[in-house]
Structure formats: structure tokens, C-alpha cells
Amino acid sequence: MLNVQNITFSYTKKSADTPVLNNLNFSVNRGEHVSIIGESGSGKSTLLKVIYGEHDLNEGQIFWDDTEILGPKYNLVVGYDFMKYVAQEFDLMPFITVEENIGKHLSNFYPKEKKERVRELLEVVELEDFAKTKVKTLSGGQKQRVALAKALANKPEIILLDEPFSHIDNFQKQSLRRSIFNYLKEKNIVCIVATHDSEDVLGFADRMIVLHDSTIMANKSPLHLYKNPETPLIASFFGEFNLINNKIIYAHELKRVETSDLKVLVQQSYFKGHFYLIEAYSEEDVIFFENATNLERNTEVFLEIIERQ
Ligand code: ADP
Ligand code: MG
């Protein structure tokens, strides 16, 4: 189990500064998939680096089972064999091939096993056709996949991923995400993902840790937080929403009806695929709701709230 105990961290050690991470506590079980979410600058990347042992803590301790994760002040070489970290900026050798990069830290004593392992990893990151390609000629997204495969090569017990699919285009993202996350689950590898993309989270994460104001705003399952969004920040992660009588109502929880107490005037329709997101006014308030069809500007519409299941 990963145990993060009362950790506080700031980049500058002046006591007057608010720390980036202020007294964080959580644990992650073996094989669990946890997403770290929060606005840009909320400390997601910093938290991953601190877990990796890249920085010395101001206070607190981090343990993987009985091993304490120590920072550079106590460790000549940053990091531990059981843990891999894939940074937002990946660290690859440009002048050697994809398969050489992936196999870089695999033992040469077992050439057959090494070859087999590299082939398996190429499949996980869907780069079979690029084994012999030099990394410098790859796109950003392809490099990101090589970095992922390289991190998985020696079967870590924990993998820390910072915005792992940010460079990968939408055509390939969905299937790559499933491939990587299913692989990690199958191998019982702890996966901690910093992301701002809800699609990295929903359907994959067992738990979401929401960072805000240097602390943990929430630490629950995505389903629980979706049903009980305690704050607008949490609700915004699941899509467009409204505050009606101080309650968070998602855009898809408003339905058009013949007549009701909630009358709005359509302002704008946005095509979203299987529905239109409608922006409307109810007096001064902006109301968002979903509708199967496009609605003309200034159409008068009555809305009803559908009970959340
Ligand atoms: P996120 O990944 O959520 O966008 P970061 O962890 O990168 O957030 O940053 C959290 C805060 O720490 C930000 O205010 C950022 O400016 C600051 N920060 C990040 N890296 C450094 C650094 N190396 N030195 C000083 N401040 C930093
Ligand atoms: Mg970041």
C-alpha cells in the first residue's frame, strides 16, 4: 500500500509562503487506479514528483509498504526500482529506435525474453509498426507512447503518469487509453494519473483525488462525486451544469416540458453530436440544458429538473 502521511511541500522554504501541497493524507491500495485532478497550477505534477521522491518534503512521510520514499537529500539516485514516473516532458534517446528505447533498461542476459517483452509492450502502446523507427522522427504522441512503454518495461509496482495522453490525437486516444489502463489493472500495477481530462478518469479510475487550494477537496469514487458533486469545481469536471436554488443541476438533468415554473429564452445552440447544448436565459441567470434538436434564438422554453438516479 502507498501511504501518504501529512505531507507538506513548498518549492521555496520560506515559512511565509503558502505551500503547494499542504498537509495531504491518502493511501492507495495495490493495483488501484487513482486520478489526481484539479485546475492548472493546483499541484498535480508536484504531487507526482513528490511521490516519486524527486523533492524533499517540508513535513510528513510517504511509504510504499515498509519502504519510506526519500527525497534527493537522502538519496544519491532519485527514484526506486518499484516505481516509474512518466513526466509531461518525456525523456527518450532520439537517435536510437523505438524498440531500443523501450528495451533500454531490460537485461541483455536474456535476449529472447527481452525481445518478447519489447514486442508485448509495443502491442500495449499500439506501436508495432514503428519498432525499427528512430525516435527523433516520431510525432509528439508517438514519443509519449514510447515513454509509456519504456516505463512499463521492468514491470513496476507503481506507475505515475502526468497527463499521459495530452499529446495523442483523438483518433487514437480512446483505444490507447483502454489498452494501457486495462494492462495496468491486469498486472495489478498501482496507477496514479494526473489529468484534467475527464475521459482519462471516467470508466477507469477507482478514485479521484481533487486538489484545490493546496489541499485535497475530495477523495472518492468518480460515481460518488458525479452523484454528489459537493462543489462547482467538482461538478465542472463532469460537464456543463447550473446552480438552481443552490443545487447543482447538470445540463442533461433539465428536460423541456409543456409548461413549468422555469421559463427560459434560448440564446445559443451548440452541436455536440447526439445532442445540442442550449445556452438560455432565465431572467439574468444563464441556464444550460441539453436538447435533441437545435433551437432558434429567442425561443421560449419551459424546463423541468429530472431527478438524478
Ligand atoms: P499542475 O500540474 O496542477 O498544473 P504544478 O504542480 O505544475 O501544477 O504546479 C503547482 C504550483 O507550483 C504552481 O503554482 C507552479 O507555478 C509551482 N511550481 C511548479 N514547479 C515549480 C518549480 N520547479 N519551482 C517553483 N514553483 C513551481
Ligand atoms: Mg501539471
Side-chain angles (χ1 to χ4, degrees):
M1 187 196 264
L2 181 77
N3 251 314
V4 174
Q5 301 175 349
N6 307 307
I7 62 161
T8 294
F9 171 77
S10 46
Y11 284 100
T12 58
K13 302 297 178 207
K14 280 181 270 164
S15 54
D17 294 339
T18 323
V20 177
L21 306 172
N22 194 0
N23 198 21
L24 266 52
N25 266 297
F26 61 92
S27 57
V28 181
N29 290 320
R30 213 167 260 277
E32 216 181 350
H33 180 144
V34 174
S35 296
I36 312 283
I37 70 150
E39 293 154 294
S40 181
S42 59
K44 303 182 293 295
S45 298
T46 303
L47 178 56
L48 291 190
K49 287 177 189 168
V50 159
I51 295 172
Y52 189 59
E54 202 167 299
H55 297 301
D56 295 305
L57 298 166
N58 306 22
E59 278 170 58
Q61 285 175 298
I62 302 174
F63 289 94
W64 173 242
D65 293 338
D66 297 326
T67 309
E68 182 167 7
I69 314 285
L70 296 169
K73 208 190 277 177
Y74 308 92
N75 249 343
L76 195 58
V77 182
V78 168
Y80 293 81
D81 285 344
F82 55 82
M83 179 155 55
K84 281 285 173 287
Y85 162 58
V86 184
Q88 266 173 297
E89 322 74 35
F90 12 90
D91 166 30
L92 298 170
M93 316 270 287
F95 299 107
I96 61 174
T97 67
V98 167
E99 62 181 7
E100 285 162 339
N101 265 279
I102 294 174
K104 187 104 201 357
H105 301 302
L106 289 175
S107 167
N108 287 319
F109 279 108
Y110 309 98
K112 197 162 148 272
E113 284 78 2
K114 178 170 176 170
K115 205 166 160 224
E116 185 48 36
R117 180 87 185 117
V118 170
R119 198 200 52 75
E120 181 192 18
L121 291 164
L122 283 168
E123 205 176 297
V124 173
V125 297
E126 303 174 352
L127 276 182
E128 296 99 319
D129 298 341
F130 294 86
K132 309 282 183 208
T133 308
K134 286 205 168 59
V135 161
K136 73 172 165 59
T137 66
L138 298 179
S139 71
Q142 289 165 332
K143 285 182 189 151
Q144 198 162 30
R145 289 193 255 168
V146 179
L148 282 165
K150 190 178 161 201
L152 289 170
N154 270 320
K155 304 193 173 157
E157 293 170 78
I158 309 178
I159 192 161
L160 308 170
L161 304 174
D162 201 346
E163 310 276 359
F165 308 110
S166 55
H167 296 265
I168 292 162
D169 59 59
N170 277 329
F171 299 106
Q172 296 172 345
K173 221 180 246 187
Q174 314 279 4
S175 100
L176 184 65
R177 220 187 248 124
R178 282 193 293 270
S179 168
I180 302 258
F181 289 155
N182 290 341
Y183 177 86
L184 294 173
K185 259 290 171 218
E186 190 185 301
K187 303 284 175 194
N188 210 30
I189 298 171
V190 168
C191 162
I192 305 182
V193 188
T195 183
H196 59 264
D197 186 345
S198 58
E199 295 215 41
D200 288 346
V201 179
L202 305 179
F204 301 110
D206 299 307
R207 221 141 31 86
M208 275 165 71
I209 292 182
V210 186
L211 289 183
H212 185 66
D213 275 349
S214 308
T215 60
I216 295 180
M217 177 186 259
N219 176 3
K220 301 256 172 64
S221 73
L223 180 66
H224 181 97
L225 292 177
Y226 167 72
K227 286 188 176 172
N228 312 279
E230 287 153 34
T231 63
L233 178 77
I234 295 173
S236 69
F237 190 74
F238 296 104
E240 220 61 65
F241 69 94
N242 308 285
L243 273 175
I244 299 176
N245 300 329
N246 268 327
K247 263 191 79 182
I248 286 167
I249 308 292
Y250 295 112
H252 64 84
E253 292 175 323
L254 288 173
K255 182 179 75 173
R256 199 178 167 187
V257 288
E258 280 296 308
T259 180
S260 75
D261 297 338
L262 182 55
K263 185 171 89 175
V264 300
L265 211 55
V266 171
Q267 203 56 29
Q268 192 75 256
S269 293
Y270 304 94
F271 176 64
K272 292 283 183 185
H274 66 282
F275 66 92
Y276 284 80
L277 179 70
I278 315 287
E279 184 178 359
Y281 287 126
S282 125
E283 288 156 20
E284 280 97 78
D285 295 332
V286 180
I287 297 279
F288 286 100
F289 66 99
E290 292 184 4
N291 199 58
T293 56
N294 183 32
L295 294 176
E296 288 301 315
R297 191 187 175 92
N298 290 329
T299 310
E300 215 178 62
V301 174
F302 292 95
L303 298 172
E304 194 176 82
I305 299 171
I306 316 165
E307 198 71 19
R308 193 172 299 155
Q309 294 302 307

